[in-house]
Amino acid sequence: MRLSAMGDVAMTVPVLRAIVQQNPEVKITVVSRPFFKPFFEGISNVSFFAFDEKQRHKGFPGLLRLFQDLKVLHIDAFADLHNVLRSKVVRTLFALSGKKTASVDKGREEKAALTRAENKIFKPLTTMFERHVKVFQELGFAVDLSNPTFPVKTVLGKEISLLIGGNNQKLIGIAPFAQYDSKVYPLDLMQEVINKLAENKTHKILLFGGGKKEIELLNSLLKGKENVIVVAGQLKFQQELQLISNLDVMLSMDSGNAHIAAMLGVKVITLWGATHPFTGFSPFNQPLENALVSDRNLFPKLPTSVYGNKIVEGYEDAMRSISVENVVEKINSSI
């Protein structure tokens, strides 16, 4: 399999976990960037192959080498869960060598109908999890996601425990950023959410993010509160996953952090701006009422895009229609 962005990769994890549990004779090799290897550790019969996009597997000659590298693993079938040019090349090579292949249908026409401004067809689309299941069904494997299992919470190591402290408080994760601004809850409102949650001393609020700019913004949200901690930049990625597995709830935008928490069986509250859970990217196994969406009465063109990369004039403040009180109430009722 060939995978790319963080959210895309995280969304495959519950499906793969279900496949190997329900089909114990199946062995899966995940092909993705080395960074994502921790997602798949601990899943029986799932191994990881690091895709070297910078050197060995770069360009068309690199894809030929990737095919040769995978061929020696005696692969019987190739599931393309990404369906982009690079994965199509490798998939075609496997098909030409006589192997069964199947690829994900991303439903581009339905998504275009859901996000267009005029004659919008506003209805829930097939989820990415169901689309992934269909790929494996085409290869002949039965998969049922109705009773998912999740890994047990990781016992936190000394480094993480020193960072977050003890006290048996409820752990609330907040990941306030996303790839595009149209999916980010306004920072002044997020400050209010944090302030209200921090009033309850049985809460410990952990702020997640990445990169220098995001860490600076997260530090600006602390306001000297002892029960608010910036996790970003303090831990290795694998440690962050271990910490997320111990959260009581994660508040996230429509972003990779939502899918990471969901794949670990954590409750997730998501906030949606230009995008919408109907696009099929709602986190795994989370009730629809945990997705707080911008007001479509005020902003009827929503969702304006699948990924949030389309700017629509007048819609810059759409997420301000999600009230701080609703966010706080939803979190409090979840823990």
Side-chain angles (χ1 to χ4, degrees):
M1 296 185 312
R2 172 76 184 91
L3 307 169
S4 182
M6 186 179 293
D8 295 336
V9 182
M11 281 189 283
T12 68
V13 173
V15 178
L16 300 189
R17 197 180 284 126
I19 289 167
V20 293
Q21 285 175 347
Q22 295 162 24
N23 302 270
E25 76 288 357
V26 173
K27 291 186 176 174
I28 293 174
T29 300
V30 174
V31 182
S32 192
R33 296 202 291 267
F35 181 80
F36 297 123
K37 186 178 181 182
F39 283 2
F40 304 94
E41 287 174 1
I43 306 177
S44 62
N45 285 4
V46 174
S47 56
F48 188 87
F49 183 96
F51 173 68
D52 183 2
E53 63 182 332
K54 298 279 173 63
Q55 293 182 338
R56 179 166 179 80
H57 304 132
K58 184 179 179 181
F60 184 73
L63 294 178
L64 294 175
R65 275 192 291 274
L66 175 60
F67 169 65
Q68 293 297 336
D69 290 345
L70 295 174
K71 200 174 166 186
V72 300
L73 301 177
H74 306 293
I75 285 167
D76 298 301
F78 186 84
D80 182 357
L81 301 185
H82 198 30
N83 204 1
V84 295
L85 184 59
R86 287 194 291 203
S87 64
K88 286 176 184 176
V89 170
V90 180
R91 185 176 87 223
T92 301
L93 292 169
F94 271 106
L96 291 172
S97 70
K99 304 298 182 183
K100 286 172 85 173
T101 67
S103 62
V104 68
D105 171 12
K106 293 185 173 179
R108 288 188 174 90
E109 284 185 20
E110 306 150 65
K111 287 172 182 171
L114 176 62
T115 55
R116 66 194 177 203
E118 306 296 328
N119 302 314
K120 185 186 291 289
I121 301 176
F122 186 69
K123 66 175 185 179
L125 304 186
T126 305
T127 70
M128 283 309 298
F129 308 103
E130 293 166 322
R131 293 182 189 279
H132 290 154
V133 163
K134 193 173 179 186
V135 173
F136 288 99
Q137 287 173 337
E138 283 180 33
L139 295 174
F141 303 106
V143 193
D144 180 5
L145 299 180
S146 60
N147 290 297
T149 59
F150 299 99
V152 295
K153 290 184 178 186
T154 309
V155 177
L156 297 179
K158 188 177 179 183
E159 198 173 347
I160 304 174
S161 298
L162 283 171
L163 175 64
I164 68 167
N167 303 336
N168 294 319
Q169 291 159 296
K170 293 288 186 183
L171 298 182
I172 301 170
I174 299 182
F177 303 113
Q179 186 176 3
Y180 299 105
D181 289 344
S182 68
K183 301 199 295 183
V184 177
Y185 197 54
L187 215 59
D188 61 312
L189 298 186
M190 185 57 76
Q191 180 73 71
E192 289 185 44
V193 169
I194 292 169
N195 291 349
K196 287 182 184 296
L197 291 171
E199 286 172 8
N200 187 334
K201 298 308 176 187
T202 67
H203 292 164
K204 183 161 286 182
I205 297 109
L206 307 174
L207 306 181
F208 292 84
K212 188 179 176 185
K213 185 184 175 185
E214 288 188 7
I215 292 170
E216 284 175 5
L217 289 170
L218 290 176
N219 280 314
S220 75
L221 297 171
L222 290 177
K223 306 297 183 195
K225 295 178 176 63
E226 288 185 8
N227 58 339
V228 183
I229 297 164
V230 173
V231 172
Q234 307 272 6
L235 300 171
K236 298 187 178 103
F237 183 53
Q238 192 157 13
Q239 291 175 308
E240 281 203 14
L241 295 182
Q242 293 167 1
L243 180 53
I244 289 171
S245 81
N246 281 267
L247 296 178
D248 292 285
V249 64
M250 169 68 93
L251 172 66
S252 175
M253 308 302 106
D254 168 22
S255 70
N257 282 291
H259 298 295
I260 290 171
M263 81 180 190
L264 295 170
V266 173
K267 290 178 187 173
V268 184
I269 311 297
T270 43
L271 306 183
W272 301 75
T275 58
H276 195 280
F278 278 12
T279 56
F281 291 102
S282 192
F284 182 70
N285 202 45
Q286 305 294 323
L288 191 59
E289 58 265 27
N290 280 10
L292 303 182
V293 299
S294 300
D295 191 334
R296 292 191 69 250
N297 291 319
L298 297 174
F299 302 96
K301 293 179 183 177
L302 292 175
T304 55
S305 70
V306 175
Y307 303 109
N309 54 340
K310 188 178 177 183
I311 297 169
V312 176
E313 191 176 346
Y315 277 57
E316 298 84 0
D317 289 334
M319 289 189 88
R320 290 190 177 275
S321 65
I322 304 172
S323 76
V324 168
E325 291 71 24
N326 274 1
V327 177
V328 173
E329 183 187 346
K330 183 60 74 173
I331 291 170
N332 284 331
S333 65
S334 299
I335 55 178

